Amino acid sequence: MNASPDTSAPHAGPAAFPPGDLAIWFFILAELLAFGVFFAAYAFGRAHNVELFNEMQQTLDRKAGALNTVLLITGSWCVARAVEAVGRARATTGARWLLAGIAYGGGFLVVKGFEYADKFGAGINLSTNSFYMFYLSLTFFHFMHVILGMVILVALWVKTRNGDYGPADMNGIESGAAYWHMVDLVWIVLFPLVYVMR
Amino acid sequence: MNTRQLNIAWVILILATLATFAIGEIGDSIGIAGPLAMAALLVISFIKGRLVALDFMGLRGVKFFWRGLLLGWLLLVSALIAIAYWIALK
């Protein structure tokens, strides 16, 4: 009677693989490795020039950094809610959550854009000093990832609106969402490291 | 992953972000400065990163290997930052 093997049963134990396509997870791991090297380079670069880094950190807009953390976290939450909704066959709700995620990502880009404009307006560039070399290259590397993440979210939004995803077809939306969460995860380390730690 | 779990994770993440910001703004005046502040910041970012990996990325119900890769990354990066910070103190 209870002999039928049902792999989707709640007692099936932990899933062998994470949500989404396995390929996106290898990509995510490669990205995390790259950011990890960047973070270590920043930290050890700072160790060789503590006074400069501590002084220059005071010239950053910590409020903008914190606001951007809130925007990325909230954007990530929206996309997680979108995946959850699509998994319950609520594609219209899921599409709305995706749109909200795109809006928060856009908010991040606007805030970061103002920060860059402020620094460039003050004549700061990559060769100003080693702190700003790290700050500009590290945050811009991340900025590019936010843009790519938003392109992915727009694609997910269009496909979700078209009803291309549902409880039986979650692979695409889960893969794109995992990438977006990675962008959030990286900023969660970047913000305290660059804006706060001294 | 249910909506309640996701909402709780979001609230904790926002509160943790405020804690990080507060350490930067008023840490010196409330005695959370230097190595103590660095340790607090790393612990907070680990808690946040763990929530993103487990709840948002949905790794909570996945084999430990996958959670281990992401949490291991967080620990490794935190350890390198801590070592570099310690070197800078000398």
Side-chain angles (χ1 to χ4, degrees), chain A residues 29, chain B residues 54 59 62-75:
Chain A
L29 291 173
Chain B
L54 298 190
L59 295 182
V62 179
K63 270 193 163 50
F64 177 76
F65 173 77
W66 291 98
R67 269 175 292 144
L69 279 176
L70 266 82
L71 300 182
W73 176 82
L74 272 172
L75 287 175

PDB file of all heavy atoms in Angstrom, chain A residues 29, chain B residues 54 59 62-75:
ATOM      1  N   LEU A  29      29.671  29.545  -8.559  1.00  0.00           N
ATOM      2  CA  LEU A  29      30.878  29.222  -7.785  1.00  0.00           C
ATOM      3  C   LEU A  29      32.103  29.905  -8.373  1.00  0.00           C
ATOM      4  O   LEU A  29      32.972  30.402  -7.638  1.00  0.00           O
ATOM      5  CB  LEU A  29      31.074  27.700  -7.717  1.00  0.00           C
ATOM      6  CG  LEU A  29      30.031  26.945  -6.884  1.00  0.00           C
ATOM      7  CD1 LEU A  29      30.227  25.441  -7.025  1.00  0.00           C
ATOM      8  CD2 LEU A  29      30.081  27.358  -5.417  1.00  0.00           C
TER       9      LEU A  29
ATOM     10  N   LEU B  54      20.614  29.869   2.319  1.00  0.00           N
ATOM     11  CA  LEU B  54      19.668  28.826   2.728  1.00  0.00           C
ATOM     12  C   LEU B  54      18.231  29.137   2.323  1.00  0.00           C
ATOM     13  O   LEU B  54      17.525  28.260   1.808  1.00  0.00           O
ATOM     14  CB  LEU B  54      19.733  28.606   4.249  1.00  0.00           C
ATOM     15  CG  LEU B  54      21.066  28.114   4.817  1.00  0.00           C
ATOM     16  CD1 LEU B  54      20.904  27.710   6.263  1.00  0.00           C
ATOM     17  CD2 LEU B  54      21.637  26.963   3.998  1.00  0.00           C
ATOM     18  N   LEU B  59      18.830  26.581  -0.497  1.00  0.00           N
ATOM     19  CA  LEU B  59      19.754  25.461  -0.264  1.00  0.00           C
ATOM     20  C   LEU B  59      19.471  24.715   1.042  1.00  0.00           C
ATOM     21  O   LEU B  59      20.157  23.746   1.361  1.00  0.00           O
ATOM     22  CB  LEU B  59      21.202  25.958  -0.257  1.00  0.00           C
ATOM     23  CG  LEU B  59      21.734  26.525  -1.572  1.00  0.00           C
ATOM     24  CD1 LEU B  59      23.195  26.940  -1.426  1.00  0.00           C
ATOM     25  CD2 LEU B  59      21.591  25.513  -2.702  1.00  0.00           C
ATOM     26  N   VAL B  62      18.807  21.051   0.617  1.00  0.00           N
ATOM     27  CA  VAL B  62      19.689  20.408  -0.359  1.00  0.00           C
ATOM     28  C   VAL B  62      20.853  19.742   0.380  1.00  0.00           C
ATOM     29  O   VAL B  62      21.206  20.155   1.488  1.00  0.00           O
ATOM     30  CB  VAL B  62      20.201  21.470  -1.363  1.00  0.00           C
ATOM     31  CG1 VAL B  62      21.144  20.852  -2.378  1.00  0.00           C
ATOM     32  CG2 VAL B  62      19.027  22.118  -2.079  1.00  0.00           C
ATOM     33  N   LYS B  63      21.420  18.731  -0.223  1.00  0.00           N
ATOM     34  CA  LYS B  63      22.543  18.009   0.383  1.00  0.00           C
ATOM     35  C   LYS B  63      23.614  18.961   0.916  1.00  0.00           C
ATOM     36  O   LYS B  63      23.904  19.989   0.306  1.00  0.00           O
ATOM     37  CB  LYS B  63      23.175  17.076  -0.663  1.00  0.00           C
ATOM     38  CG  LYS B  63      22.574  15.689  -0.692  1.00  0.00           C
ATOM     39  CD  LYS B  63      23.475  14.779  -1.527  1.00  0.00           C
ATOM     40  CE  LYS B  63      23.248  13.330  -1.323  1.00  0.00           C
ATOM     41  NZ  LYS B  63      22.060  12.692  -1.369  1.00  0.00           N
ATOM     42  N   PHE B  64      24.228  18.570   2.042  1.00  0.00           N
ATOM     43  CA  PHE B  64      25.178  19.452   2.723  1.00  0.00           C
ATOM     44  C   PHE B  64      26.309  19.938   1.814  1.00  0.00           C
ATOM     45  O   PHE B  64      26.800  21.054   1.968  1.00  0.00           O
ATOM     46  CB  PHE B  64      25.772  18.767   3.955  1.00  0.00           C
ATOM     47  CG  PHE B  64      26.804  19.616   4.630  1.00  0.00           C
ATOM     48  CD1 PHE B  64      26.410  20.704   5.410  1.00  0.00           C
ATOM     49  CD2 PHE B  64      28.158  19.391   4.458  1.00  0.00           C
ATOM     50  CE1 PHE B  64      27.341  21.524   6.005  1.00  0.00           C
ATOM     51  CE2 PHE B  64      29.108  20.215   5.053  1.00  0.00           C
ATOM     52  CZ  PHE B  64      28.698  21.273   5.830  1.00  0.00           C
ATOM     53  N   PHE B  65      26.710  19.110   0.869  1.00  0.00           N
ATOM     54  CA  PHE B  65      27.787  19.473  -0.049  1.00  0.00           C
ATOM     55  C   PHE B  65      27.588  20.871  -0.640  1.00  0.00           C
ATOM     56  O   PHE B  65      28.511  21.690  -0.638  1.00  0.00           O
ATOM     57  CB  PHE B  65      27.856  18.435  -1.176  1.00  0.00           C
ATOM     58  CG  PHE B  65      28.807  18.795  -2.274  1.00  0.00           C
ATOM     59  CD1 PHE B  65      30.183  18.648  -2.102  1.00  0.00           C
ATOM     60  CD2 PHE B  65      28.344  19.288  -3.491  1.00  0.00           C
ATOM     61  CE1 PHE B  65      31.067  18.990  -3.114  1.00  0.00           C
ATOM     62  CE2 PHE B  65      29.225  19.630  -4.511  1.00  0.00           C
ATOM     63  CZ  PHE B  65      30.585  19.477  -4.317  1.00  0.00           C
ATOM     64  N   TRP B  66      26.366  21.159  -1.103  1.00  0.00           N
ATOM     65  CA  TRP B  66      26.095  22.443  -1.764  1.00  0.00           C
ATOM     66  C   TRP B  66      26.060  23.599  -0.774  1.00  0.00           C
ATOM     67  O   TRP B  66      26.591  24.679  -1.036  1.00  0.00           O
ATOM     68  CB  TRP B  66      24.797  22.373  -2.576  1.00  0.00           C
ATOM     69  CG  TRP B  66      24.963  21.476  -3.745  1.00  0.00           C
ATOM     70  CD1 TRP B  66      24.578  20.169  -3.842  1.00  0.00           C
ATOM     71  CD2 TRP B  66      25.631  21.793  -4.979  1.00  0.00           C
ATOM     72  NE1 TRP B  66      24.959  19.656  -5.060  1.00  0.00           N
ATOM     73  CE2 TRP B  66      25.601  20.621  -5.779  1.00  0.00           C
ATOM     74  CE3 TRP B  66      26.249  22.940  -5.485  1.00  0.00           C
ATOM     75  CZ2 TRP B  66      26.168  20.585  -7.053  1.00  0.00           C
ATOM     76  CZ3 TRP B  66      26.806  22.900  -6.754  1.00  0.00           C
ATOM     77  CH2 TRP B  66      26.760  21.726  -7.517  1.00  0.00           C
ATOM     78  N   ARG B  67      25.410  23.323   0.392  1.00  0.00           N
ATOM     79  CA  ARG B  67      25.416  24.366   1.435  1.00  0.00           C
ATOM     80  C   ARG B  67      26.850  24.604   1.880  1.00  0.00           C
ATOM     81  O   ARG B  67      27.277  25.738   2.084  1.00  0.00           O
ATOM     82  CB  ARG B  67      24.582  23.900   2.627  1.00  0.00           C
ATOM     83  CG  ARG B  67      23.132  24.310   2.535  1.00  0.00           C
ATOM     84  CD  ARG B  67      22.350  23.707   3.670  1.00  0.00           C
ATOM     85  NE  ARG B  67      22.261  22.259   3.515  1.00  0.00           N
ATOM     86  CZ  ARG B  67      22.292  21.389   4.521  1.00  0.00           C
ATOM     87  NH1 ARG B  67      22.421  21.807   5.754  1.00  0.00           N
ATOM     88  NH2 ARG B  67      22.164  20.111   4.282  1.00  0.00           N
ATOM     89  N   GLY B  68      27.618  23.510   2.004  1.00  0.00           N
ATOM     90  CA  GLY B  68      29.005  23.587   2.452  1.00  0.00           C
ATOM     91  C   GLY B  68      29.855  24.437   1.523  1.00  0.00           C
ATOM     92  O   GLY B  68      30.722  25.198   1.973  1.00  0.00           O
ATOM     93  N   LEU B  69      29.606  24.349   0.217  1.00  0.00           N
ATOM     94  CA  LEU B  69      30.386  25.141  -0.741  1.00  0.00           C
ATOM     95  C   LEU B  69      30.170  26.637  -0.496  1.00  0.00           C
ATOM     96  O   LEU B  69      31.127  27.415  -0.452  1.00  0.00           O
ATOM     97  CB  LEU B  69      29.977  24.795  -2.180  1.00  0.00           C
ATOM     98  CG  LEU B  69      30.583  23.521  -2.786  1.00  0.00           C
ATOM     99  CD1 LEU B  69      29.995  23.286  -4.163  1.00  0.00           C
ATOM    100  CD2 LEU B  69      32.105  23.627  -2.883  1.00  0.00           C
ATOM    101  N   LEU B  70      28.900  27.037  -0.315  1.00  0.00           N
ATOM    102  CA  LEU B  70      28.617  28.462  -0.145  1.00  0.00           C
ATOM    103  C   LEU B  70      29.019  28.961   1.232  1.00  0.00           C
ATOM    104  O   LEU B  70      29.634  30.022   1.364  1.00  0.00           O
ATOM    105  CB  LEU B  70      27.144  28.767  -0.456  1.00  0.00           C
ATOM    106  CG  LEU B  70      27.005  29.195  -1.915  1.00  0.00           C
ATOM    107  CD1 LEU B  70      26.943  27.985  -2.815  1.00  0.00           C
ATOM    108  CD2 LEU B  70      25.853  30.122  -2.128  1.00  0.00           C
ATOM    109  N   LEU B  71      28.677  28.186   2.267  1.00  0.00           N
ATOM    110  CA  LEU B  71      29.050  28.609   3.621  1.00  0.00           C
ATOM    111  C   LEU B  71      30.566  28.547   3.776  1.00  0.00           C
ATOM    112  O   LEU B  71      31.168  29.392   4.449  1.00  0.00           O
ATOM    113  CB  LEU B  71      28.341  27.736   4.665  1.00  0.00           C
ATOM    114  CG  LEU B  71      26.803  27.778   4.605  1.00  0.00           C
ATOM    115  CD1 LEU B  71      26.202  26.924   5.712  1.00  0.00           C
ATOM    116  CD2 LEU B  71      26.277  29.206   4.685  1.00  0.00           C
ATOM    117  N   GLY B  72      31.199  27.561   3.118  1.00  0.00           N
ATOM    118  CA  GLY B  72      32.655  27.463   3.137  1.00  0.00           C
ATOM    119  C   GLY B  72      33.295  28.688   2.491  1.00  0.00           C
ATOM    120  O   GLY B  72      34.306  29.207   2.982  1.00  0.00           O
ATOM    121  N   TRP B  73      32.701  29.156   1.399  1.00  0.00           N
ATOM    122  CA  TRP B  73      33.197  30.378   0.739  1.00  0.00           C
ATOM    123  C   TRP B  73      33.128  31.557   1.705  1.00  0.00           C
ATOM    124  O   TRP B  73      34.083  32.329   1.844  1.00  0.00           O
ATOM    125  CB  TRP B  73      32.367  30.659  -0.523  1.00  0.00           C
ATOM    126  CG  TRP B  73      32.737  31.948  -1.209  1.00  0.00           C
ATOM    127  CD1 TRP B  73      33.767  32.147  -2.080  1.00  0.00           C
ATOM    128  CD2 TRP B  73      32.088  33.226  -1.071  1.00  0.00           C
ATOM    129  NE1 TRP B  73      33.789  33.465  -2.493  1.00  0.00           N
ATOM    130  CE2 TRP B  73      32.778  34.141  -1.891  1.00  0.00           C
ATOM    131  CE3 TRP B  73      30.989  33.680  -0.334  1.00  0.00           C
ATOM    132  CZ2 TRP B  73      32.417  35.475  -2.003  1.00  0.00           C
ATOM    133  CZ3 TRP B  73      30.627  35.018  -0.435  1.00  0.00           C
ATOM    134  CH2 TRP B  73      31.331  35.905  -1.258  1.00  0.00           C
ATOM    135  N   LEU B  74      31.983  31.678   2.385  1.00  0.00           N
ATOM    136  CA  LEU B  74      31.810  32.773   3.346  1.00  0.00           C
ATOM    137  C   LEU B  74      32.868  32.701   4.452  1.00  0.00           C
ATOM    138  O   LEU B  74      33.480  33.712   4.808  1.00  0.00           O
ATOM    139  CB  LEU B  74      30.427  32.689   3.989  1.00  0.00           C
ATOM    140  CG  LEU B  74      29.263  33.399   3.292  1.00  0.00           C
ATOM    141  CD1 LEU B  74      27.957  33.021   3.977  1.00  0.00           C
ATOM    142  CD2 LEU B  74      29.458  34.914   3.320  1.00  0.00           C
ATOM    143  N   LEU B  75      33.071  31.489   4.983  1.00  0.00           N
ATOM    144  CA  LEU B  75      34.048  31.316   6.071  1.00  0.00           C
ATOM    145  C   LEU B  75      35.466  31.600   5.593  1.00  0.00           C
ATOM    146  O   LEU B  75      36.243  32.258   6.288  1.00  0.00           O
ATOM    147  CB  LEU B  75      33.952  29.890   6.636  1.00  0.00           C
ATOM    148  CG  LEU B  75      32.720  29.594   7.493  1.00  0.00           C
ATOM    149  CD1 LEU B  75      32.699  28.122   7.888  1.00  0.00           C
ATOM    150  CD2 LEU B  75      32.703  30.478   8.746  1.00  0.00           C
TER     151      LEU B  75
END
